[in-house]
Amino acid sequence: MTTAEHPTPVAELLPPARRRHTRIGLVAGGLGTYWPQFPGLLPQLQESARYVAERLGSMDTEVTDVGFISDAEEGAAAAEELRKADCDLIVLFLTTYLTSSMVLPIARRAHTPVLVIDLQPSERMDHASFDTGAWLAYCGQCPVPEVGNVFRRAGIPFRSVSGWLRQESAWRRIEQWIRAAHVRAALRHARHGLMGHLYPGMLDVSTDLTLLPTTFGSHVEVLEFDDLRHRVERVTEAETRDRMKLARQVFTLDDSVVDEDFAWGSTVSVALDRLVEDFGLDTLAYYHRGLDGELHERLGAGMILGASLLTARGVPAPGEYELRTSVAQLASQSVGAGGSFTEIQALNFEDGVVEMGHDGPAHLAVSARDPLLRGLGVYHGKRGWGVSVEFDVQHGPVTLLGLGQDADGSLSFVTSEGTVVPGPLLEIGNTTSRVDFGRDPGEWVDAWSATGVGHHWSLAVGSHAADFRAAASLLGIDHREV
């Protein structure tokens, strides 16, 4: 193998895609009747609310804090402010007892998922010294069942985290909902590119283009390969050389890489970046069959290098026209877990593992080693030839996320957690991994396939099924776990 330069960490070379910040609405409250009765209570609760705002702001979010409400009128005013803020999640901090009439308007009028939190000041009360005013600061749990009942009767999903103010285990639960809000924010505002045409015969890949806007609020931009061709024609030789230099820093080049194919892939990569920028895309799924080496076939075959670099920057670019998998990859990106285009390759019953991966675009963040560019004289099952990305996935926990679809057209998140373990891997220009799901591989395949997940999915590093379950709740879709 050869490389012109020692590979450099991808994060240092590829600037991440810029997206709208996740917006978290915050409103804290308590019953105003208490304030004149116990003068020291409100300042104590307001100080707790400031701490909550600071913690939420440290989670890569934009916090809209509408202040402290003390009665139903203030609750209605807060609801209007939060409606205008267009939040991805509203955090409702119950600092002491309050009435459900104060918070129901917030959940109804803002049209945004709500997380109720009640965090008392410390682990326990000091019973020997506490009076009524001191006790009331610990009474945030008191209205939680009331709010839960009223939400249910109003048809509003109820979510809550109960604990104490600096309890890290409670904050980990809150952080999980914030990660879920990152997913909702990404999908709600995403622009998904779909370029080319359906991979012939793969009926599971077919997606109603109205489904994503109606389910998530995102947009699907239908593109032609001529949109890419037009931009390829305008790439200069200097830009191609610069992209080849970048690729040598990111990848190790195998001896099988043909210079002409490497240059072509680099040219297409530059044009892809412009295509994504010009159309404001957050994902790009593509496929073109082509014929006998004609230009559009060469464009499709030259996508892998550029698509992998885009995916590494946070713009998933899967092949085979896999729009739903691009959504799953974007969701994986949103929780900081990578997300590589994946399918089942084979089963190893002796070792008890499922071998999975995919040819073509891969997410470099999940690689266990310096990613490799390998030259391929043929792409199996597809027309064309060129350079492909190869690596094995980091050993340790991983989470699969796919988008299932039911007979009524509804979408679901489908997840499964496993562990990538060492062992022999194919060296055929694919992303590959050996995943142990803790059960017979054949039984896992049967259970996974019964969910309606489809042919492909996203493979993310770490244990994130709980994050995706929470995200499904915020998005209003089913979650299925194998």
Side-chain angles (χ1 to χ4, degrees):
M1 296 180 186
T2 62
T3 179
E5 303 174 35
H6 184 72
T8 303
V10 174
E12 298 179 17
L13 298 168
L14 304 174
R18 298 182 63 181
R19 292 194 176 94
R20 168 190 176 278
H21 260 77
T22 301
R23 296 179 183 173
I24 304 299
L26 173 62
V27 56
L31 189 62
T33 306
Y34 297 147
W35 313 150
Q37 295 175 331
F38 308 99
L41 180 59
L42 179 58
Q44 179 184 2
L45 301 181
Q46 289 173 324
E47 179 61 30
S48 293
R50 282 191 287 271
Y51 177 79
V52 169
E54 291 172 2
R55 288 292 298 255
L56 294 176
S58 70
M59 300 177 191
D60 192 28
T61 64
E62 177 184 302
V63 178
T64 298
D65 185 351
V66 298
F68 203 99
I69 63 172
S70 301
D71 54 37
E73 290 76 15
E74 291 180 358
E80 182 62 16
E81 286 188 60
L82 291 169
R83 183 189 66 80
K84 293 177 181 177
D86 187 30
C87 298
D88 301 297
L89 176 68
I90 292 173
V91 176
L92 177 58
F93 180 21
L94 309 184
T95 64
T96 185
Y97 177 72
L98 49 65
T99 64
S100 51
S101 64
M102 295 168 57
V103 298
L104 181 60
I106 294 170
R108 286 184 59 85
R109 299 180 190 177
H111 302 292
T112 300
V114 174
L115 171 65
V116 173
I117 65 173
D118 53 283
L119 304 174
Q120 65 185 39
S122 65
E123 299 98 318
R124 62 178 179 84
M125 295 188 293
D126 182 354
H127 298 79
S129 64
F130 271 30
D131 59 11
T132 302
W135 157 63
L136 286 172
Y138 285 73
C139 199
Q141 291 82 10
C142 180
V144 176
E146 176 182 338
V147 173
N149 172 274
V150 172
F151 275 28
R152 179 176 287 270
R153 290 165 68 176
I156 298 169
F158 177 74
R159 313 165 185 89
S160 67
V161 173
S162 301
W164 56 279
L165 193 61
R166 288 172 170 80
Q167 181 184 5
E168 290 306 314
S169 59
W171 277 104
R172 284 194 294 273
R173 293 164 62 199
I174 294 171
E175 288 168 357
Q176 177 180 293
W177 286 108
I178 300 302
R179 287 193 296 272
H182 286 317
V183 175
R184 181 173 187 260
L187 300 192
R188 196 159 67 98
H189 297 277
R191 288 176 55 84
H192 302 286
L194 197 56
M195 184 170 70
H197 61 81
L198 190 68
Y199 188 101
M202 295 184 69
L203 301 180
D204 66 305
V205 172
S206 176
T207 301
D208 176 0
L209 300 189
T210 309
L211 194 57
L212 297 190
T214 55
T215 302
F216 304 126
S218 47
H219 171 78
V220 180
E221 185 74 17
V222 178
L223 306 170
E224 305 284 355
F225 258 84
D226 286 319
D227 291 314
L228 178 61
R229 174 191 59 77
H230 177 76
R231 288 161 177 81
V232 165
E233 291 170 351
R234 284 158 177 73
V235 175
T236 67
E237 292 183 4
E239 289 172 327
T240 295
R241 287 194 299 269
D242 287 344
R243 185 53 52 95
M244 293 172 75
K245 179 180 178 181
L246 172 65
R248 289 190 179 97
Q249 292 176 281
V250 173
F251 299 94
T252 296
L253 267 64
D254 186 73
D255 293 337
S256 59
V257 172
V258 176
D259 288 343
E260 179 183 356
D261 294 339
F262 182 33
W264 175 248
S266 298
T267 300
V268 174
S269 175
V270 174
L272 273 175
D273 284 359
R274 289 184 180 153
L275 182 78
V276 166
E277 181 179 358
D278 290 346
F279 286 94
L281 302 180
D282 296 291
T283 73
L284 175 64
Y286 68 91
Y287 177 76
H288 183 80
R289 181 170 55 190
L291 181 66
D292 296 335
E294 55 87 27
L295 178 57
H296 294 89
E297 177 185 301
R298 293 291 292 133
L299 286 170
M303 291 275 290
I304 293 174
L305 171 60
S308 293
L309 293 175
L310 279 174
T311 303
R313 289 178 47 214
V315 182
E320 300 183 19
Y321 215 60
E322 259 289 15
L323 176 59
R324 294 202 309 280
T325 301
S326 73
V327 174
Q329 289 181 267
L330 183 60
S332 300
Q333 294 265 13
S334 301
V335 299
S340 205
F341 191 40
T342 307
E343 66 182 6
I344 298 170
Q345 292 179 322
L347 306 182
N348 185 323
F349 290 95
E350 184 175 299
D351 295 341
V353 297
V354 179
E355 298 185 31
M356 57 180 60
H358 206 281
D359 62 334
H363 198 308
L364 310 184
V366 308
S367 178
R369 55 182 169 87
D370 294 334
L372 178 75
L373 279 185
R374 183 182 293 279
L376 296 179
V378 63
Y379 294 150
H380 73 271
K382 307 179 187 70
R383 297 183 182 275
W385 65 92
V387 293
S388 190
V389 175
E390 174 182 301
F391 57 74
D392 54 305
V393 176
Q394 300 170 24
H395 297 166
V398 293
T399 305
L400 311 185
L401 172 66
L403 259 68
Q405 186 171 2
D406 290 344
D408 64 357
S410 60
L411 296 175
S412 61
F413 273 2
V414 184
T415 62
S416 188
E417 292 186 346
T419 303
V420 173
V421 297
L425 298 168
L426 293 172
E427 297 181 354
I428 57 173
N430 285 20
T431 308
T432 56
S433 59
R434 294 159 44 92
V435 187
D436 183 352
F437 291 102
R439 62 192 297 184
D440 177 86
E443 292 179 1
W444 180 86
V445 170
D446 292 339
W448 181 247
S449 303
T451 63
V453 68
H455 190 100
H456 307 99
W457 47 87
S458 170
L459 183 147
V461 293
S463 299
H464 293 284
D467 295 334
F468 297 135
R469 183 186 308 113
S473 171
L474 298 188
L475 292 164
I477 62 175
D478 285 346
H479 173 261
R480 298 164 189 168
E481 186 171 2
V482 175

